[in-house]
Amino acid sequence: MGHYRSNLRDVEFNLFELLERDRLFGAQPYGDIDLDTAKFILREVDRLAREDLAESFEEADRHPPVYDPSTRSVTVTPEFAGAYKTWMDAEWWRLRVLPELGGTDAPNSLNWALAEFVLGANPALWTYVGMPTAARVVWHHGTERDRKIAQIGVEKRWGATMVLTEPDAGSDVGAGRTRAVPNDDGTWNIHGVKRFITAGEHDLADNILHLVLARPVGVDSVGGPGTKGLSLFLVPKFHFDPDTGELTGERNGVYATNVEKKMGMNVSTTCELTLGDDAPARGWLLGEVHDGIAQMFEVIEDARMMVGCKAIATLSSGYLNALDYAKQRVQGADLAQMSDKSAPRVTITRHPDVRRSLLTQKAFAEGMRSLVLYTASWQDEIAVKTAAGEDAALAEAVNDLLLPIVKGYGSERSWVVLGTESLQTFGGSGYLREYPIEQYVRDAKIDTVYEGTTAIQAQDLFFRKIVRNRSVALTHLLDEVKAFAAASDPASPITGERRLLGDAVSNVEAIVAKMTGDLAASKDESTTVYRVGLNATRLLFALGDVFVGWLLLRSAHIALTALAEPQAPSDISFYEGKVAAAQFFAREVLPKIAAEREIAETVGDFVMELDEAAF
Ligand code: ST9
């Protein structure tokens, strides 16, 4: 058996029992999909991921792509290249491609469910398949010429990258110095050095289309300071005939000048790209307007969702690997017989702390899966409303609110639980390369860092998604959570847990109130905003816990209803597990938000006033 343990049953539960996604099938814009087809696709991708895509996971980690500085090229191992080809040949990635570009309109909820299988089996694979996202953004913002390029990119299965970061412009993208100079023929010459470019160079595709942020120079009224002065350019690795897509054989002046050596995700090439150094790097401005950061953010939003999905995919497989191990590992006697040295040895699933750990893993993995798919269900809502010509503003705002939580909270909780609980379940064996967990931990760490660090997600959440949105999306969601928490259900085994959820919402609202108050006070005393900064990640985590607790309890409610009817033995266990995970999370995690509130309310100025020498 390979390393990857998927959870198809839970994915289906989320899609069809919790989120009732099948209600969308057969109607616009998802007229081509029905429930049987969706379940068939899920089963197929699950099988493909476990049996084929997962196979090179370990090998590719031990034998990362080789960078040849003399040709500035990268060679990927045949094993990983085989997995990539298998995924591309299977064509399921076309469910993410616009119909205008040869794809099928499938709900984002279904797509992110499929993505979980791929990202769990071989996460780096996904980073090489950027074209569906890139082509969508190019199609939406491009001229006829750009749309043709998007069509060619999909048809020829080219790679695509997002090129933002520079050595001195990481979180602060607006500090980027890469320049773009217009040519007479409508193209631009790009000059600069970019860093940390995922899949920036490889031999898996015939060409790579780089989406590059650069600052136009020599053009009136554009190219000012900060992110708003950035434009987005389409810069191919190889020049091609824009009508046919045939490569001209001429190399464009964008080269990988280094490939980083990393802690994990070793098979995903992380490149330094130098543009326009010894040969011109020519590209096209995307569309006719200089609106680079907004255009790039459409790619970033997709990638942030991907990171959250990857994080929980790995946690879920980590948990299921740990569970398998715990069920077999015999060690020590039952604690209730600890004084009897001749008592029979038991599997470690009998030990209280291991059970606590396994339920922690289960609750976070399943709760955050719900969070990812719940967020995706708002993306479905945007598509449905847009197709019907209706106002999608609320759906957009709720999706925007949830994205930093999916990415920031999802990645942090996954990485911590993987390291402290999943690996720990294996004892010393978890530290060995014999088991996949040590690689999971290494591969998962990047999720808290790239696509905007956790601190960036926390600031995005508060300043942009709450304050700038005037709390419309937050209030909408918290009202739903409060209504669920307050619903009367006296005989139910989750009555106490609903109360704990209600308390957690009050506490998170108090954290928001404290931060909003400090922000308002900063109009008179600007440094008061530091208090907001000190509470930002606290809010991100607290809100994530509330939403996960709510989704787990909603799942438990559905499970309890199902358990009232006759069920197959495997379904009884499944539904009992859903109830237990929700009860555990509500009892063990949600009460901690009260302490977070207390800390948040006492946050003052001393941390920022401390002399740097005292650190
Ligand atoms: C990276 C690569 O880390 C990781 C690779 C992952 C794997 C990718 C694999 C590919 C997967 C497939 C998907 C991708 C496909 C790839 C191929 C594609 C070619 N929401 O607040 P302001 C906009 S890459 C929406 O003033 P500052 C908005 O337009 C590196 N839009 O910010 C706004 O204008 P307005 C990742 C947003 O102070 C404008 O920005 N790097 C949002 O100027 C200015 O906003 C990062 O993620 C938003 N949430 O700049 C950067 N926020 O206000 C992290 C801003 O008028 N840093 N906009 O609407 C940040 O996010 C900073 O907060 C900052 C600050 C740069 C936005």
Side-chain angles (χ1 to χ4, degrees):
M1 192 190 243
H3 79 91
Y4 179 47
R5 309 277 187 282
S6 63
N7 197 340
L8 177 62
R9 177 69 181 89
D10 196 46
V11 169
E12 289 192 341
F13 171 84
N14 274 278
L15 287 179
F16 306 126
E17 294 177 72
L18 176 65
L19 302 170
E20 299 177 338
R21 293 297 82 195
D22 40 322
R23 280 194 296 108
L24 305 181
F25 299 160
Q28 283 312 312
Y30 306 123
D32 293 341
I33 298 216
D34 58 37
L35 182 59
D36 287 343
T37 311
K39 287 194 167 178
F40 170 78
I41 297 171
L42 284 162
R43 276 198 304 274
E44 266 307 292
V45 176
D46 172 48
R47 185 200 56 73
L48 192 75
R50 281 183 292 102
E51 294 177 9
D52 296 329
L53 306 184
E55 212 177 308
S56 62
F57 173 73
E58 183 187 322
E59 186 276 343
D61 175 65
R62 314 301 195 255
H63 304 98
V66 176
Y67 174 64
D68 179 351
S70 66
T71 56
R72 294 178 286 193
S73 63
V74 170
T75 310
V76 175
T77 62
E79 289 81 358
F80 185 79
Y84 173 82
K85 185 168 184 316
T86 301
W87 177 241
M88 296 309 286
D89 288 350
E91 297 271 325
W92 299 117
W93 52 273
R94 282 191 193 275
L95 293 166
R96 298 173 56 80
V97 173
L98 286 174
E100 296 88 332
L101 293 167
T104 305
D105 244 336
N108 269 16
S109 51
L110 179 64
N111 268 316
W112 286 115
L114 302 177
E116 183 190 323
F117 298 137
V118 181
L119 289 162
N122 209 334
L125 199 56
W126 198 265
T127 66
Y128 287 100
V129 193
M131 188 52 85
T133 305
R136 186 178 328 118
V137 175
V138 172
W139 180 267
H140 282 147
H141 297 283
T143 60
E144 280 313 306
R145 173 205 63 208
D146 304 334
R147 288 181 159 198
K148 182 76 193 160
I149 293 172
Q151 247 163 0
I152 291 169
V154 171
E155 196 181 296
K156 298 197 172 287
R157 300 176 175 191
W158 288 351
T161 66
M162 45 197 303
V163 185
L164 298 78
T165 307
E166 298 180 14
D168 295 320
S171 297
D172 186 9
V173 177
R177 289 198 297 246
T178 295
R179 290 173 298 124
V181 182
N183 297 317
D184 292 339
D185 63 357
T187 63
W188 296 69
N189 277 9
I190 318 291
H191 306 264
V193 177
K194 294 285 184 174
R195 200 174 178 214
F196 295 157
I197 307 307
T198 302
E201 174 60 31
H202 57 84
D203 58 349
L204 292 171
D206 293 339
N207 205 357
I208 302 173
L209 186 65
H210 302 289
L211 299 197
V212 181
L213 279 184
R215 204 172 294 284
V217 292
V219 184
D220 286 348
S221 74
V222 293
T227 50
K228 291 291 175 69
L230 296 169
S231 296
L232 205 156
F233 297 90
L234 311 181
V235 184
K237 173 179 167 183
F238 290 107
H239 288 299
F240 59 94
D241 178 337
D243 292 323
T244 63
E246 291 306 311
L247 301 186
T248 61
E250 194 194 345
R251 185 73 159 80
N252 200 9
V254 47
Y255 285 101
T257 37
N258 185 30
V259 174
E260 309 291 349
K261 302 213 171 5
K262 299 176 297 188
M263 167 179 173
M265 287 286 279
N266 286 328
V267 68
S268 162
T269 52
T270 301
C271 304
E272 177 189 79
L273 285 187
T274 301
L275 298 106
D277 189 9
D278 49 7
R282 287 208 307 279
W284 297 275
L285 174 70
L286 175 60
E288 282 163 351
V289 290
H290 293 273
D291 203 8
I293 192 69
Q295 294 166 337
M296 183 60 94
F297 251 97
E298 290 185 22
V299 183
I300 294 175
E301 288 187 344
D302 186 78
R304 287 182 178 174
M305 188 75 185
M306 182 280 290
V307 173
C309 188
K310 167 183 177 297
I312 80 104
T314 304
L315 175 61
S316 179
S317 187
Y319 159 58
L320 294 172
N321 271 283
L323 180 62
D324 279 355
Y325 182 84
K327 282 178 174 172
Q328 287 162 17
R329 175 72 174 161
V330 175
Q331 199 70 187
D334 192 301
L335 196 60
Q337 294 179 282
M338 63 191 288
S339 51
D340 177 0
K341 297 299 172 202
S342 61
R345 308 289 100 177
V346 296
T347 59
I348 62 172
T349 50
R350 294 304 318 154
H351 298 321
D353 192 61
V354 174
R355 287 194 157 226
R356 176 207 55 75
S357 175
L358 290 171
L359 264 182
T360 302
Q361 295 170 56
K362 178 178 168 69
F364 274 108
E366 294 182 8
M368 292 196 297
R369 170 177 296 115
S370 298
L371 180 67
V372 168
L373 295 178
Y374 175 70
T375 304
S377 76
W378 282 97
Q379 295 163 12
D380 298 345
E381 184 78 3
I382 297 170
V384 168
K385 288 236 181 306
T386 307
E390 292 170 14
D391 180 13
L394 177 67
E396 278 168 8
V398 173
N399 177 52
D400 285 349
L401 176 83
L402 290 170
L403 277 176
I405 302 176
V406 165
K407 195 288 184 189
Y409 171 88
S411 63
E412 288 285 351
R413 290 290 195 242
S414 293
W415 142 257
V416 170
V417 174
L418 271 168
T420 56
E421 308 295 351
S422 307
L423 189 148
Q424 196 79 6
T425 307
F426 286 78
S429 297
Y431 203 64
L432 306 182
R433 291 198 158 192
E434 201 178 325
Y435 293 95
I437 301 286
E438 65 82 29
Q439 189 182 339
Y440 284 5
V441 172
R442 286 188 289 110
D443 284 0
K445 181 55 207 163
I446 189 61
D447 297 333
T448 69
V449 179
Y450 64 6
E451 284 309 337
T453 61
T454 308
I456 290 288
Q457 303 306 320
Q459 290 192 15
D460 184 55
L461 173 69
F462 181 71
F463 290 112
R464 193 176 185 90
K465 308 304 177 51
I466 296 179
V467 175
R468 190 164 136 164
N469 178 248
R470 297 180 185 281
S471 285
V472 172
L474 181 70
T475 305
H476 177 84
L477 282 189
L478 289 186
D479 281 352
E480 280 204 32
V481 180
K482 283 192 265 191
F484 176 87
S488 161
D489 198 2
S492 163
I494 55 167
T495 302
E497 286 74 7
R498 284 187 197 252
R499 189 181 43 73
L500 290 168
L501 180 65
D503 294 347
V505 177
S506 305
N507 287 322
V508 100
E509 285 180 327
I511 298 175
V512 174
K514 157 75 172 155
M515 292 172 72
T516 313
D518 283 338
L519 183 64
S522 72
K523 290 203 172 67
D524 297 325
E525 179 58 65
S526 65
T527 55
T528 313
V529 77
Y530 293 151
R531 300 179 186 178
V532 178
L534 289 166
N535 274 326
T537 54
R538 175 167 292 115
L539 174 66
L540 179 80
F541 294 153
L543 208 46
D545 283 341
V546 163
F547 290 144
V548 164
W550 171 54
L551 291 166
L552 284 170
L553 284 168
R554 278 177 57 188
S555 300
H557 177 71
I558 292 165
L560 287 164
T561 309
L563 283 168
E565 304 289 327
Q567 300 287 346
S570 62
D571 277 336
I572 293 175
S573 305
F574 174 79
Y575 288 127
E576 285 177 350
K578 297 305 292 179
V579 177
Q583 289 174 320
F584 181 84
F585 194 90
R587 293 174 196 175
E588 301 253 340
V589 179
L590 293 183
K592 292 178 185 164
I593 300 176
E596 295 295 346
R597 171 194 180 162
E598 220 170 299
I599 300 166
E601 287 177 336
T602 60
V603 159
D605 301 323
F606 98 95
V607 173
M608 292 305 290
E609 285 170 357
L610 189 62
D611 192 306
E612 228 170 88
F615 275 88

